[in-house]
Amino acid sequence: MDSKRLSIVRFPLILLVLYIHSFIAPVNFAGGSVQLQIPFGLTLLCEALSNGIARVAVPLFFLMSGYLFFIGFDGSVAAYGRKLRARVGTLLVPYLLWNVLIASLYIVGQSLPQTAPLFSGSAKILGGGALATLDAVFGFTHFPIAYPFWFIRDLMVLAILALPLHLILTRTSWLLPALLVPCWVASWWFLPLPAIEATTWFTIGAALALRGRSLFAWEERMTLFAPLYLVLLIADIVMRLRYDWWWLHQPAIALGVATALCLPRYVMRARRMSAALLTLSGASFFVFAAQEPLMTLVRKLLYSVLSPTPGVVTAVYMLEPLAIAALLVAVYFTLRRLLPRFTATISGNRGA
């Protein structure tokens, strides 16, 4: 039953990731920037959605990933090898394919006079030589060129560290998660990767799996979690906007994760909705992978022809993620029908 619940939450979480990337900031072109006219109401909405509710998506994905990796994992070298071999197809192959594809598109786009103005200096990879191209693909010193794939990059690193992590968790119980959580709250970390957010939530998921606990063990406490989360979310928004004070941000995210894990129980009671989300779950990885640089390019195209008035900025912020998600879902199911093996490969053998 947990697998069904996990499938139900995947696509909504991916949609939240799109809203994280639908930020309201100056739009950069090669020749300069377009400054957006942002009404205060939109600032509040963005802080509540993109910097508030949507921020539960990434830690929840790492939590789920750690849980699924460590379910049935006994810490043996043989089991470790099987787990890593399985992740070659689900993580490494799509990571390489998508980043090589996006890097190639950037190179072509920067080479054509018609499209070169859409690429700002930070997006350029031409002229840096082979090392710059490799860095763009693998993300050694920064995000990979397909920047949402930092999640997959960190996940691969954590998978490699699973054997010592299993040893630590079985010998010290909850000590390691207890040490990591304050580091995550304080945004303090000494490693360039994996990120503290990735490490903390992957480890919590691993600890729950090793102790045979369900991710949805507290789903009956929705009536407690939801009101507390709403209060903490509002307090966090006020503190960030008024005082630039962020100490409530991570606690609000943590409570948001707990609240999100309560939702599948209620969604499953609505058969049509749960059936739709289970179907859309198969498209989740494809939407995640193909969202960028598509969202950025669409935003730039829109602001190259539209005036950045408050109404236009609000409409672009709210509607672009929905439109991009709908388009990519349609593309995914079309590809799955026409090219099932190819679609399975680029989707990490998920849902195709």
Side-chain angles (χ1 to χ4, degrees), residues 11 14-15 18-19 22 286-299 302 316 318-332:
F11 189 80
I14 289 296
L15 192 57
L18 265 64
Y19 272 102
S22 183
F286 182 83
V287 175
F288 159 80
Q291 60 169 302
E292 287 290 355
L294 181 59
M295 284 189 66
T296 298
L297 291 176
V298 168
R299 192 181 303 119
L302 288 173
V316 170
M318 288 302 301
L319 298 178
E320 187 195 14
L322 298 175
I324 294 293
L327 171 65
L328 292 177
V329 165
V331 171
Y332 168 79

Side-chain angles (χ1 to χ4, degrees), residues 139-293:
F140 295 125
T141 63
H142 48 67
F143 288 142
I145 191 70
Y147 79 81
F149 275 81
W150 75 266
F151 172 89
I152 303 297
R153 179 199 61 193
D154 282 25
L155 194 54
M156 289 190 290
V157 174
L158 288 164
I160 292 171
L161 297 174
L163 204 56
L165 183 58
H166 182 279
L167 179 64
I168 294 170
L169 290 173
T170 52
R171 297 289 178 85
T172 65
S173 187
W174 286 94
L175 178 61
L176 181 58
L179 293 174
L180 288 172
V181 167
C183 295
W184 171 67
V185 171
S187 300
W188 179 85
W189 195 231
F190 58 92
L191 294 174
L193 61 97
I196 181 58
E197 182 176 46
T199 307
T200 300
W201 288 95
F202 185 91
T203 302
I204 293 172
L208 288 171
L210 289 175
R211 281 149 188 80
R213 299 295 300 271
S214 169
L215 288 178
F216 305 95
W218 300 280
E219 63 183 1
E220 294 183 359
R221 300 183 183 179
M222 177 69 166
T223 53
L224 171 64
F225 288 152
L228 287 177
Y229 173 58
L230 181 60
V231 170
L232 194 56
L233 175 65
I234 293 172
D236 173 45
I237 294 169
V238 171
M239 290 299 178
R240 283 190 281 114
L241 286 179
R242 189 172 180 84
Y243 304 108
D244 195 27
W245 196 73
W246 288 76
W247 280 96
L248 289 179
H249 192 56
Q250 268 82 347
I253 291 172
L255 191 53
V257 168
T259 304
L261 289 173
C262 297
L263 293 175
R265 180 190 184 198
Y266 297 91
V267 174
M268 288 172 67
R269 296 175 182 175
R271 293 184 178 180
R272 290 185 178 180
M273 181 182 296
S274 60
L277 290 177
L278 287 171
T279 300
L280 289 170
S281 178
S284 297
F285 187 90
F286 182 83
V287 175
F288 159 80
Q291 60 169 302
E292 287 290 355

